Amino acid sequence: MRRTAALAAATGLTVAAALVLASPAAAQPPNARASKAPAADPRLKAAEAADKAVASGLDHLRKGPDETYWRRDVVPGAGGMYYVSYERTYKGLPVVGGDAVVVTDGQGRVRDTVNASGPHAENVPTRAKVTGEAATAKARTRLDRADDSAAPRLVVFAWDATPKLAWEAVVAGIADGKPSKQHVFVDARSGEILSSYDEVRAGAGRGYYYGQVTLDTRSSGGSYQMVDPTRSGLQCGGQGGSAYTGTDDSWGNGSGTDLETACVDALYSVEREW
C-alpha cells in the first residue's frame, strides 16, 4: 500500500511556550508559590501544532497560491494521539481529493501527516456553465429509480490529473436492483459525469487471512478501483504504485501467492482499523 505521509515523530513541531514575567516573590500572595497554572487543553495543543504543520507545508501539506486548508475537527484517539482533519479549498470551493489529517500527541508534537494525493488547483474557472438542477438530473441517470436527491454543491474535482470545476450531486434510490446513494461529480462546464461513488458499498474480496470480506472501493466509468472513496489517500495495488482496477467489484482469489488477494487482506484490515 502506498502512503503519502512521512513520519515526523523525531522532529515533531512543538507549540511555542508563552513567556510569563512573574512579579517579585515578596509581592505575591502567601499561597501564590504553591499554586500552579492549569494544564493546557491537549486538544488545543494538538490543534495549534497541526495548524503550524499545515502552515509550514510539512511533508506533503503544500497548497497552491489560491488554496487554503481549513481545520474541520480534532478527534482524540488511542494512546493519547489526536487526529486533526483539514479540508483544502480553492478560492473558497471545497477540493475533492484535497483532504488532510495531521496526527499529534497531547504535548503538541506532530507524529504523522496523511493527505490525499489530488493535484493542486490552478487556473480552474469558478463560474459554472451548467446549472445545479441540470447536474442533478444528469446524476439521477446513474440510478434505475431515483427516490431522493440533495441540493448539489459546487466543488473542485481533483481526483484526476487535471482539476475541474464540478457539481457534486447526491442521489438516492435503486441501482441494479439494490439500494444506492451515489455522489456523482458532474463537470460544471460540459455537463459530463466525471466520476461517482456509492455510499452503499458491497465490494467483495476474498483474502488469504480474512476469507470472504466486504471492501469499500471506488467505481468510475464502468470500472472499479481498489481505492477507498471516503478515507483520504487509502488504496492498494501492485508494485508499480497504482491501485488495482477491474471490470467488476470482486477482488482476490484467496491464494497466498496472489497480490490482489494480499491487497484484500491489507485494505480490509486498514479500513476496519481506521
Side-chain angles (χ1 to χ4, degrees), residues 54 60-72 85-101 115-122 124 153-160 163 232:
V54 168
H60 299 285
L61 297 174
R62 298 175 180 86
K63 57 184 182 294
D66 294 312
E67 293 181 325
T68 303
Y69 280 107
W70 293 95
R71 175 158 35 91
R72 299 178 62 182
S85 61
Y86 293 85
E87 180 178 71
R88 181 153 43 105
T89 64
Y90 172 77
K91 296 184 177 179
L93 296 176
V95 176
V96 176
D99 290 354
V101 176
N115 74 311
S117 56
H120 297 304
E122 295 181 11
V124 177
R153 66 169 185 164
L154 202 59
V155 301
V156 175
F157 181 78
W159 279 353
D160 294 335
S232 297

Side-chain angles (χ1 to χ4, degrees), residues 75-158:
V75 179
M81 295 296 157
Y82 290 84
Y83 300 86
V84 189
S85 61
Y86 293 85
E87 180 178 71
R88 181 153 43 105
T89 64
Y90 172 77
K91 296 184 177 179
L93 296 176
V95 176
V96 176
D99 290 354
V101 176
V102 178
V103 184
T104 79
D105 59 25
Q107 302 302 313
R109 293 185 292 261
V110 172
R111 295 305 185 98
D112 204 359
T113 63
V114 181
N115 74 311
S117 56
H120 297 304
E122 295 181 11
N123 302 319
V124 177
T126 57
R127 180 170 296 182
K129 291 183 178 180
V130 176
T131 66
E133 292 78 7
T136 299
K138 186 75 171 182
R140 291 167 75 93
T141 65
R142 303 285 292 185
L143 305 175
D144 298 329
R145 189 188 80 204
D147 299 328
D148 194 16
S149 61
R153 66 169 185 164
L154 202 59
V155 301
V156 175
F157 181 78

Side-chain angles (χ1 to χ4, degrees), residues 6-274:
L7 187 62
T11 57
L13 300 179
T14 56
V15 180
L19 179 63
V20 180
L21 299 180
S23 301
Q28 296 178 2
N31 61 348
R33 298 180 188 179
S35 64
K36 295 183 179 180
D41 184 350
R43 291 173 64 97
L44 180 59
K45 281 187 175 183
E48 290 177 345
D51 285 349
K52 287 187 177 183
V54 168
S56 69
L58 181 68
D59 293 343
H60 299 285
L61 297 174
R62 298 175 180 86
K63 57 184 182 294
D66 294 312
E67 293 181 325
T68 303
Y69 280 107
W70 293 95
R71 175 158 35 91
R72 299 178 62 182
D73 204 0
V74 180
V75 179
M81 295 296 157
Y82 290 84
Y83 300 86
V84 189
S85 61
Y86 293 85
E87 180 178 71
R88 181 153 43 105
T89 64
Y90 172 77
K91 296 184 177 179
L93 296 176
V95 176
V96 176
D99 290 354
V101 176
V102 178
V103 184
T104 79
D105 59 25
Q107 302 302 313
R109 293 185 292 261
V110 172
R111 295 305 185 98
D112 204 359
T113 63
V114 181
N115 74 311
S117 56
H120 297 304
E122 295 181 11
N123 302 319
V124 177
T126 57
R127 180 170 296 182
K129 291 183 178 180
V130 176
T131 66
E133 292 78 7
T136 299
K138 186 75 171 182
R140 291 167 75 93
T141 65
R142 303 285 292 185
L143 305 175
D144 298 329
R145 189 188 80 204
D147 299 328
D148 194 16
S149 61
R153 66 169 185 164
L154 202 59
V155 301
V156 175
F157 181 78
W159 279 353
D160 294 335
T162 303
K164 297 180 178 67
L165 185 69
W167 288 104
E168 180 184 7
V170 182
V171 292
I174 301 296
D176 298 326
K178 300 176 183 179
S180 178
K181 184 178 181 181
Q182 297 205 23
H183 292 243
V184 184
F185 298 94
V186 179
D187 193 312
R189 310 282 287 181
S190 69
E192 297 299 316
I193 293 179
L194 297 172
S195 187
S196 67
Y197 71 87
D198 199 333
E199 285 189 24
V200 183
R201 296 181 293 274
R206 187 179 177 192
Y208 179 73
Y209 292 103
Y210 291 106
Q212 198 71 31
V213 296
T214 298
L215 301 172
D216 297 341
T217 56
R218 188 170 80 189
S219 61
S220 177
S223 67
Y224 297 87
Q225 300 171 310
M226 292 192 88
V227 177
D228 194 303
T230 60
R231 300 174 179 90
S232 297
L234 182 57
Q235 66 178 45
C236 196
Q239 296 174 343
S242 298
Y244 281 129
T245 60
T247 57
D248 57 28
D249 207 3
S250 181
W251 310 93
N253 58 16
S255 169
T257 59
D258 177 58
L259 289 179
E260 190 172 292
T261 297
C263 265
V264 170
D265 286 326
L267 192 61
Y268 175 79
S269 62
V270 173
E271 286 176 344
R272 299 290 78 75
E273 178 68 19
W274 193 300

